[in-house]
């Protein structure tokens, strides 16, 4: 599932090693560190290793979201099958300069459309921590509904679910 997507304002391309500088920047933003966690990506080489690990992992897909107008990377959308969840999980993260502009909604909608129509996935999950109000607001705008709270090794996560077929 290494597809490229386009929306009105954005291009989503599968993550690749040319994204290393952007990944280094994004993974060290306050929001990523607070709500997703420190991935110990502190150098360009760490970022390359992080990307290589993503590319080598089955059922793990990341798209770099760039602005069509400038070609500047703004964020990421991920789609992965986690061992502790029954369905694939979608995620998103954007640099602070691109918050509140509808980019995460636009990009995530493009991926959801793809997994619904091409892959025929019936349900998609999303997880977040309870303090991430912006993420929760976006998930609700994307028609995800709170399902339950689960415990993982590192966190207590809120699980949201969206039925794709018959309700997209």
């Amino acid at each position: 599932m290494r597809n490229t997507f386009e929306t009105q304002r954005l291009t989503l391309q599968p993550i690749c090693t040319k994204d290393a500088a952007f990944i280094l920047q994004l993974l060290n933003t306050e929001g990523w560190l607070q709500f997703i966690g420190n991935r110990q990506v502190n150098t360009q080489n760490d970022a390359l290793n992080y990307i290589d690990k993503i590319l080598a992992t089955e059922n793990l897909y990341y798209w770099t979201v760039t602005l069509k107008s400038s070609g500047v990377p703004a964020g990421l959308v991920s789609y992965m099958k986690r061992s502790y969840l029954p369905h694939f999980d979608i995620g998103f993260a954007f640099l602070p300069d691109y918050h509140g502009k509808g980019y995460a909604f636009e990009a995530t909608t493009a991926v959801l459309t793809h997994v619904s129509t091409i892959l025929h996935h019936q349900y998609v999950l999303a997880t977040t921590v309870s303090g991430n109000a912006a993420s929760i607001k976006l998930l609700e705008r994307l028609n995800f509904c709170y399902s339950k709270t689960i415990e993982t090794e590192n966190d207590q996560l809120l699980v949201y679910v969206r039925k794709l077929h018959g309700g997209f």
Side-chain angles (χ1 to χ4, degrees):
M1 188 170 62
R2 302 282 180 217
N3 302 64
T4 297
F5 307 105
E6 287 198 18
T7 68
Q8 182 178 352
R9 303 178 296 164
L10 307 170
T11 301
L12 288 76
Q13 295 183 311
I15 195 169
C16 65
T17 55
K18 72 175 181 63
D19 297 321
F22 164 68
I23 293 300
L24 177 60
Q25 181 183 8
L26 180 65
L27 272 60
N28 286 289
T29 61
E30 182 180 334
W32 185 287
L33 294 170
Q34 180 181 2
F35 297 123
I36 299 171
N38 190 338
R39 299 295 188 255
Q40 303 301 318
V41 175
N42 301 308
T43 66
Q44 186 87 2
N45 196 48
D46 292 342
L48 287 168
N49 290 334
Y50 183 83
I51 293 167
D52 285 342
K53 184 177 178 185
I54 290 168
L55 293 173
T57 303
E58 188 177 353
N59 291 321
L60 177 61
Y61 310 98
Y62 274 67
W63 292 271
T64 301
V65 180
T66 58
L67 305 181
K68 279 185 175 179
S69 61
S70 64
V72 172
L76 288 176
V77 176
S78 64
Y79 192 67
M80 66 188 76
K81 178 60 182 82
R82 297 181 191 269
S83 61
Y84 56 84
L85 293 173
H87 302 286
F88 274 77
D89 171 38
I90 197 162
F92 41 81
F94 282 73
L95 292 171
D97 287 350
Y98 304 103
H99 290 185
K101 299 180 188 318
Y103 296 133
F105 179 85
E106 192 173 322
T108 305
T109 298
V111 174
L112 288 170
T113 299
H114 176 75
V115 301
S116 174
T117 59
I118 305 300
L119 301 179
H120 305 292
H121 287 184
Q122 190 169 19
Y123 294 95
V124 174
L125 303 176
T127 61
T128 189
V129 294
S130 62
N132 193 343
S135 181
I136 292 168
K137 182 178 176 182
L138 178 56
L139 290 172
E140 290 172 348
R141 185 170 172 226
L142 288 162
N143 296 318
F144 281 81
C145 297
Y146 171 78
S147 174
K148 61 184 174 181
T149 300
I150 62 170
E151 297 279 338
T152 65
E153 332 178 332
N154 305 323
D155 272 314
Q156 187 175 56
L157 297 174
L158 306 179
V159 179
Y160 284 76
V161 63
R162 176 171 166 175
K163 183 174 182 182
L164 295 177
H165 293 283
F168 191 72

